[in-house]
Amino acid sequence: MSTCATVSQQLHEPLSATAPTATTWLLLEQPGPWGPKALTSSHLDPGLGRLLERAAQGTGVRVALIRRPGRHADCRTPSVRHVYAAHTVPGNVWLHSAMTVDPERLLGLDFAALGRGDHRSFGTVLGGRPHTGDPLALVCTNGRRDRCCALLGRPLAAALAATGVRGAWEATHLGGHRFSPTLLVLPYGYAYGRAEAHTVMDALHGVREGRVVLEGCRGRTAWERPGQAAELAVRTAFGEDRADALTVVGTENLDADGAAPRWEVTVAHTDGRRWHVTVEQGAAVPPRPESCGATVLGAPAHMDVTAVCELTVARSAPARWEPDM
């Protein structure tokens, strides 16, 4: 059976710079089935889902539903739910958790502040505290949005749970169905594609040590796609795996003559080094299905790094992130 994921892999479509974009992730536990647009087509009240979408718009916050791997029975009775918020921008990385029986309380959050990295409303409104458990491994399993996410994502989520990964959750849309199974690791916010259990275990081990694993990495969700491409290119070129060592500090659009989109991205290291990275946008050929539900073939955009120029030298060593205890 041919799927968008098998075609993408056969065509060797690159994973770099395909991650979804969000400075902050807000995750709400919602058991039961999920429809194509889970916030408004699940057992969560659709009116609440629309209000959450509206509240998050333009703030940098992305709202997703999560559930534990396995059977998804939902008796529609009030139950205590997990809620997580994670900010992914280097220098202010945090992951907080809370419990609630009333999801409508999320509407009291200051979404703009959360997007900027201010977690105070999460504590005030939900009683949230720094998360002291394992890092989170979120596997997209929303088969109603794309069948690849169910066919490939659910077995991966189940395998992680079976091996004792306590931070494993099924999640709604993480973008890029054709890269299934897709994965998001929090708190750092690195996304992965075509993930296998060993890759996930390596990535989670890396988080505990303050490192990012580059195998299968789609990029850090804190950055737009040109920034994702530039950061991964610097990591690859200079062997930097410390998760918070690099920051995208500027992106200049060089597309002044109407040619193909092109950017100069400035990447800074905590030791003082800086790089200018030239990124160009291209279109994938030949055309391919961008999802299993697509009725026409597409030519998805990809980011090509054409130059990496180091500007300054090192001055000091960076610190690593550690979870609050």
Side-chain angles (χ1 to χ4, degrees):
M1 176 179 62
S2 179
T3 65
C4 66
T6 57
V7 172
S8 174
Q9 189 160 19
Q10 289 167 356
L11 294 175
H12 305 288
E13 187 174 356
L15 293 170
S16 175
T18 64
T21 300
T23 56
T24 302
W25 289 83
L26 180 62
L27 311 171
L28 171 64
E29 184 178 6
Q30 175 58 58
W34 297 332
K37 295 183 178 180
L39 280 178
T40 55
S41 55
S42 68
H43 287 183
L44 182 71
D45 176 70
L48 173 59
R50 284 188 289 271
L51 289 174
L52 289 172
E53 288 179 333
R54 190 178 308 161
Q57 189 172 9
T59 66
V61 176
R62 182 157 175 156
V63 185
L65 302 182
I66 58 174
R67 62 192 178 194
R68 286 299 188 186
R71 295 176 61 90
H72 303 132
D74 181 9
C75 300
R76 296 179 181 265
T77 56
S79 59
V80 177
R81 304 171 188 228
H82 290 81
V83 186
Y84 296 97
H87 190 63
T88 64
V89 178
N92 187 28
V93 170
W94 49 261
L95 172 60
H96 285 208
S97 61
M99 306 290 285
T100 186
V101 295
D102 182 9
E104 289 193 4
R105 294 179 64 189
L106 273 65
L107 295 175
L109 295 172
D110 186 337
F111 281 78
L114 285 174
R116 295 191 302 267
D118 182 346
H119 54 66
R120 285 177 293 182
S121 71
F122 192 78
T124 302
V125 174
L126 297 173
R129 296 289 186 272
H131 177 64
T132 59
D134 292 343
L136 304 186
L138 310 177
V139 182
C140 181
T141 62
N142 192 354
R144 291 291 300 278
R145 191 173 181 108
D146 190 282
R147 62 178 175 173
C148 287
C149 298
L151 292 173
L152 302 173
R154 293 198 67 189
L156 175 61
L160 294 177
T163 55
V165 177
R166 291 175 293 178
W169 292 88
E170 297 187 9
T172 52
H173 186 49
L174 296 178
H177 322 288
R178 61 192 185 281
F179 305 123
S180 295
T182 58
L183 172 82
L184 176 68
V185 177
L186 294 173
Y188 290 122
Y190 282 96
Y192 293 84
R194 304 182 188 128
E196 298 181 7
H198 74 87
T199 306
V200 181
M201 300 300 287
D202 288 346
L204 293 174
H205 181 69
V207 170
R208 297 184 187 97
E209 296 184 341
R211 297 183 299 103
V212 55
V213 171
L214 295 183
E215 180 184 356
C217 190
R218 300 172 62 196
R220 189 169 191 156
T221 65
W223 317 128
E224 300 289 341
R225 292 189 64 186
Q228 293 175 15
E231 189 225 26
L232 290 179
V234 171
R235 288 192 179 281
T236 300
F238 294 91
E240 180 55 76
D241 67 353
R242 287 167 292 186
D244 266 2
L246 299 179
T247 302
V248 174
V249 296
T251 302
E252 180 184 357
N253 191 340
L254 303 178
D255 181 22
D257 57 0
R262 190 163 62 98
W263 301 266
E264 184 176 80
V265 181
T266 303
V267 178
H269 196 292
T270 52
D271 66 10
R273 284 179 291 171
R274 288 194 173 215
W275 296 265
H276 279 169
V277 183
T278 304
V279 181
E280 297 182 0
Q281 179 176 306
V285 290
R288 75 282 313 273
E290 296 188 55
S291 69
C292 288
T295 57
V296 296
L297 299 181
H302 57 80
M303 300 289 140
D304 296 322
V305 172
T306 58
V308 178
C309 178
E310 186 171 0
L311 306 176
T312 54
V313 296
R315 69 165 181 263
S316 62
R320 80 175 193 183
W321 176 90
E322 292 184 0
D324 295 291
M325 300 301 291

